[in-house]
């Protein structure tokens, strides 16, 4: 999620106008509008100040991408399956149960 989306979400959740949120955050409505439209990217500290001034807090969680979770044994099982897959039509195709 980018800064513009975060600011829009903050306004929607708190039901604050841009002018109200800007006043709480100690910035101008035009600057906040530029952030929200993606014309200017605020620093992390500024974005945090905007979020906190609304009464909300940001939470960031780092996760491994799903593709990084494929184990070597899963890859080996897949390659074994492919090696044993029938190459001619009409042969029965069976798969190992993982």
């Amino acid at each position: 999620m980018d800064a513009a989306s975060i600011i829009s979400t903050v306004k929607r959740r708190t039901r604050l106008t841009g002018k109200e949120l800007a006043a709480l955050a100690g910035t101008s409505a035009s600057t906040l509008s530029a952030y929200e439209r993606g014309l200017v990217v605020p620093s992390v500290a500024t974005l945090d100040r905007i979020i906190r001034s609304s009464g909300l807090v940001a939470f960031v969680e780092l996760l491994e991408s799903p593709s990084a979770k494929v184990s070597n044994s899963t890859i080996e099982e897949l390659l074994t399956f492919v090696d044993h897959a029938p190459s001619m039509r009409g042969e029965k195709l069976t798969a190992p149960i993982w």
Side-chain angles (χ1 to χ4, degrees), residues 3-98:
S5 298
I6 292 170
I7 293 170
S8 293
T9 300
V10 167
K11 284 175 50 183
R12 186 180 67 252
R13 286 190 183 175
T14 60
R15 297 183 179 168
L16 292 169
T17 66
K19 194 178 229 182
E20 291 167 335
L21 181 57
L24 290 170
T27 191
S28 69
S30 61
T31 298
L32 186 73
S33 175
Y35 293 154
E36 188 175 10
R37 292 183 294 148
L39 301 175
V40 179
V41 178
S43 68
V44 173
T46 298
L47 183 58
D48 184 56
R49 186 180 79 242
I50 292 167
I51 295 166
R52 287 178 185 274
S53 71
S54 73
L56 300 175
V57 293
F59 174 77
V60 177
E61 184 175 10
L62 301 176
L63 303 172
E64 284 187 38
S65 67
S67 62
K69 293 188 179 216
V70 176
S71 69
N72 286 339
S73 63
T74 302
I75 293 170
E76 287 174 17
E77 289 173 358
L78 178 61
L79 292 175
T80 300
F81 169 74
V82 170
D83 284 344
H84 291 94
S87 59
M88 299 178 67
R89 288 183 177 209
E91 293 184 44
K92 187 176 178 183
L93 181 63
T94 58
I97 297 175
W98 293 322

